Amino acid sequence: PELKKQPLTVFQNFERDIFDSLESGNDLLSKYKRLVLVFPTDGYYPVEIMKGFRTYCLVFNKEFEIRESACNEVPRAHTAYIVIEETDLAELVKKVRQSDYQLGTDIGIVSFNDTTLKELLDITVITTDFETMGKMAAALLLDKKQIRVKNPFHMIRRGSL
């Protein structure tokens, strides 16, 4: 509030972004009755992610849970997991591979933020476009524009969902 001018801002709307991304994957999520968000409370993650997830589940009539960790999770059929941290992703993939369930058929996994490893492991992600974010911030700085721009956020569909 103490800033004299509107600062250059490239932002994410976490609540709306997760809702919209999950909604764009309704055709894939329709085979799952239950959704579980693995949302660590010891991290610095925006609570708006939980709000958007909860809203999606209520609007689309999905059973849902929010867990702090995947450590004690026992994978259940017809469940899709949305995970934020890499350690929870690794834990879930390992547990699914050790079970009789098939990833992408019986159990789904969606991870936050794309990486080369997730691409190689065929993990569906919801992610902001980091390259666009950097280019946009640089362009606004160079053009000396003091505006607010929402960065794109989308689902990359892969075999884990």
Side-chain angles (χ1 to χ4, degrees):
E2 61 274 358
L3 295 175
K4 303 286 186 238
K5 295 192 305 187
Q6 168 71 33
L8 171 157
T9 309
V10 180
F11 71 96
Q12 289 180 249
N13 180 338
F14 292 98
E15 185 173 351
R16 191 77 223 174
D17 288 344
I18 189 170
F19 180 93
D20 290 345
S21 293
L22 293 174
E23 183 179 40
S24 77
N26 271 345
D27 58 317
L28 298 173
L29 288 166
S30 65
K31 62 185 163 190
Y32 303 105
K33 295 177 184 170
R34 180 173 159 258
L35 300 182
V36 176
L37 173 64
V38 183
F39 189 87
T41 55
D42 60 352
Y44 298 98
Y45 302 107
V47 295
E48 290 82 7
I49 292 171
M50 284 192 295
K51 290 178 185 176
F53 170 77
R54 206 176 271 123
T55 301
Y56 172 83
C57 292
L58 293 171
V59 167
F60 291 99
N61 201 27
K62 296 282 188 185
E63 291 177 37
F64 70 94
E65 292 180 47
I66 299 174
R67 307 272 182 151
E68 286 187 45
S69 164
C71 287
N72 298 319
E73 189 66 24
V74 177
R76 289 178 25 197
H78 311 294
T79 301
Y81 295 88
I82 293 89
V83 296
I84 295 177
E85 291 193 340
E86 306 287 314
T87 52
D88 291 312
L89 173 62
E91 187 71 26
L92 281 171
V93 169
K94 181 173 127 184
K95 287 179 178 185
V96 172
R97 286 183 176 174
Q98 291 171 342
S99 75
D100 293 332
Y101 297 125
Q102 184 70 35
L103 186 61
T105 303
D106 305 309
I107 294 177
I109 296 180
V110 178
S111 184
F112 261 75
N113 299 326
D114 199 22
T115 65
T116 303
L117 185 59
K118 291 173 190 176
E119 183 179 357
L120 291 172
L121 292 174
D122 205 24
I123 303 295
T124 297
V125 295
I126 52 179
T127 186
T128 195
D129 188 330
F130 292 105
E131 186 175 335
T132 298
M133 183 185 287
K135 287 179 179 178
M136 181 77 64
L140 293 174
L141 278 170
L142 291 171
D143 293 344
K144 296 180 178 21
K145 291 187 178 178
Q146 303 298 321
I147 59 173
R148 288 177 45 91
V149 178
K150 185 184 176 312
N151 200 58
F153 194 93
H154 58 281
M155 178 182 281
I156 299 174
R157 296 160 169 254
R158 297 191 181 120
S160 68
L161 194 60

